[in-house]
Amino acid sequence: MDPARSDAALVEDLIAGRPGAFEEFVELYWPKLFQYSYLMCGQREDAEEVTQETLLKVFEKLDQLREPERFKAWVFRIARNACYMKRRKSVFAPVQELSLDELMPVTQEDGDQRRLEIADWSSLPEDIALQSELRERLEAAIQSLPEIYRAVLILRDIEGLSTQETAEVLDITEDAVKTRLHRARLAVRSYLDEYLRTAGART
Amino acid sequence: MKLERCQDVFALLSQYLDHELPADLCDQIEAHIADCPPCVAFLESLRKTVELCRKLQAGGVPAAARDEHRRALQEAYQRFLREHGGCSDSSNS
């Protein structure tokens, strides 16, 4: 698989029925959609179903795709709707806002010096795949975010969508994407900071 | 807009990391953090948070489940090609 190949080229091959396009598409999108759905829904079984439903719908509606260069956003929009269906019981849950003030660290003036209470982040391993505890903590941190923030963080930082694509998937403005992303990152940062302090205290 | 306090800088750091700020604000942030260890530490922790999220991508995916579902997907794809004129059934053309 050529990582530099664009989604637009892939979808063109898929529509034309070129050999290998189906396999390439499933290899690429199954893991992406599973990860997204798992972090959104919180259950592996639900994530598996959402992933499969999304891909089936992609093939069902592929003839309606008007702009192949926006394929990724189009697919994630389908996945977003499938997640909403799966989580319909909580659709009426009130929207929770994250307050910027509460997420920002407090600096203290100490004479001429400014100080900040912060864990030692240099102790974090470079490769998260090798550190299952950290991975679990990070997933828990993301899953604990209120939904409107979680959705933005997953699409931008995990799935690598642009600000514009994320706005399109979620039907919000690009400014709203930026605001929510910053709060989501601050909340995850704060969660990990707490974890690193207690982990540091244990060792 | 003038960035005078650490809190002003903290508020813009995601956009700074994403290269989404106008040049004058970037310059102001860089001038501030050059002389502010707390902001450097905070920026690094935020940068690391984003990096870790990016590395989370596509891990822990159940390959068995994907293979199990592949057949239904293949059928859906073949149906699409039959109905919308792909060229995979080239024997017909």
Side-chain angles (χ1 to χ4, degrees), chain B residues 3-16:
Chain B
L3 305 176
E4 285 171 353
R5 302 175 311 133
C6 296
Q7 302 294 326
D8 299 334
V9 172
F10 292 153
L12 294 172
L13 287 180
S14 276
Q15 289 184 69
Y16 175 72

Side-chain angles (χ1 to χ4, degrees), chain A residues 105-134:
Chain A
V106 178
T107 45
Q108 285 158 350
E109 299 290 331
D110 186 6
D112 305 344
Q113 299 287 313
R114 271 166 293 190
R115 287 193 309 112
L116 176 69
E117 291 289 322
I118 191 169
D120 177 13
W121 281 68
S122 62
S123 65
L124 267 180
E126 287 300 314
D127 190 353
I128 191 170
L130 300 175
Q131 239 279 19
S132 63
E133 188 184 347
L134 177 62

Side-chain angles (χ1 to χ4, degrees), chain A residues 14-17 22 27 30-32 34-35 44 48 52 55-56 59 62-63 104-105 107 114 116 118 121 124 126 128 135 138 142 156-158 163 178 181-182 185-186 188-189 192, chain B residues 6-7 10-11 14-15 18 20 32 35 38 41-42 45-46 48-50 52-62 65-66 69-70 72-74 76-77 80-81 84 86-88:
Chain A
L14 202 60
I15 290 173
F22 169 80
E27 283 300 312
W30 220 96
K32 277 181 194 294
F34 180 81
Q35 179 81 282
R44 297 181 80 83
E48 219 178 290
Q52 184 72 358
L55 291 174
L56 288 171
F59 292 129
L62 199 50
D63 63 304
M104 299 256 257
T107 45
R114 271 166 293 190
L116 176 69
I118 191 169
W121 281 68
L124 267 180
E126 287 300 314
I128 191 170
R135 187 190 170 86
L138 182 57
I142 294 167
R156 284 283 287 119
D157 285 347
I158 299 176
T163 299
K178 291 176 193 172
L181 179 63
H182 188 47
R185 285 174 176 173
L186 289 176
V188 172
R189 193 215 72 87
L192 290 177
Chain B
C6 296
Q7 302 294 326
F10 292 153
S14 276
Q15 289 184 69
D18 294 340
E20 289 183 329
H32 177 103
D35 189 32
F42 187 76
S45 68
L46 193 64
K48 194 107 184 197
T49 300
V50 177
L52 288 173
C53 286
R54 292 198 174 131
K55 285 180 182 161
L56 196 58
Q57 192 181 9
V61 174
R66 185 180 53 196
H69 291 307
R70 190 183 288 262
L73 293 176
Q74 181 86 53
Y77 179 54
F80 164 78
L81 290 178
H84 301 285
C87 62
S88 78

